[in-house]
Amino acid sequence: MKRFFILMGTLFWIISLHAQSLSPRVLATSGTSFSSSTGSLDFTMGELMTSTFTNESNMLTQGFHQPELLFVATDDHDAGISFNLFPNPTARFVTIESTLETPIQIRIYDMAGKAIEASSIFSKQITIDLHPFMNGQYIMAITDAAGKHLFTYTLIKTTL
């Protein structure tokens, strides 16, 4: 009997050495994952978060890819700086006015996160031609020359 328990204990120990570790995974028909040194983005198509239930130690969500719920605000980060963006929505041109005296960088991203326009600006007012862009929503990020984030706008390109 003693040998049986020693044998079972040894087998259990050997099996536990080769046990798999589980991490949240999703098998979906569409979607992808992107990661860099500063963060990661995971998404699937067709599943939306519908509810979240929490208590002191647990969180239950419905849908895919929700290990952390992070929300990004598009508010200004420096009260001493102001920007004006007009007209929005626009069919062709958008104008940006700034109270900042130093150069700024403007990047425009499509909704997939791909940078489609980048420029450095040294004036207090600039007009950007959106005619080559397809109709839809774009994200405009404004940073200072050092790369510090100043403002983010949702820009809407429409037809004439």
Side-chain angles (χ1 to χ4, degrees), residues 70-84:
L70 302 175
F71 299 96
V72 178
T74 57
D75 297 331
D76 57 344
H77 295 281
D78 191 343
I81 303 169
S82 69
F83 288 91
N84 250 346

Side-chain angles (χ1 to χ4, degrees), residues 38-53:
T38 58
S40 66
L41 171 68
D42 299 315
F43 68 91
T44 58
M45 303 302 285
E47 288 291 326
L48 300 175
M49 182 174 61
T50 57
S51 297
T52 301
F53 304 100

Side-chain angles (χ1 to χ4, degrees), residues 10-128:
T10 305
L11 286 175
F12 179 75
W13 180 73
I14 291 171
I15 290 171
S16 68
L17 290 178
H18 297 288
Q20 69 182 21
S21 62
L22 297 177
S23 62
R25 292 277 185 198
V26 173
L27 298 175
T29 58
S30 181
T32 191
S33 296
F34 301 102
S35 63
S36 69
S37 61
T38 58
S40 66
L41 171 68
D42 299 315
F43 68 91
T44 58
M45 303 302 285
E47 288 291 326
L48 300 175
M49 182 174 61
T50 57
S51 297
T52 301
F53 304 100
T54 60
N55 65 16
E56 295 80 30
S57 61
N58 297 312
M59 179 171 70
L60 171 67
T61 58
Q62 298 173 358
F64 290 144
H65 286 293
Q66 299 168 40
E68 299 174 14
L69 296 175
L70 302 175
F71 299 96
V72 178
T74 57
D75 297 331
D76 57 344
H77 295 281
D78 191 343
I81 303 169
S82 69
F83 288 91
N84 250 346
L85 178 90
F86 60 91
N88 191 19
T90 183
R92 176 109 193 217
F93 296 102
V94 65
T95 302
I96 303 157
E97 293 178 343
S98 168
T99 60
L100 198 59
E101 299 288 336
T102 59
I104 60 172
Q105 295 178 351
I106 294 178
R107 287 191 170 84
I108 300 176
Y109 300 91
D110 63 10
M111 294 313 279
K114 179 182 174 188
I116 56 174
E117 179 80 21
S119 58
S120 295
I121 297 136
F122 296 97
S123 64
K124 287 187 163 196
Q125 181 176 352
I126 185 165
T127 301
I128 298 175

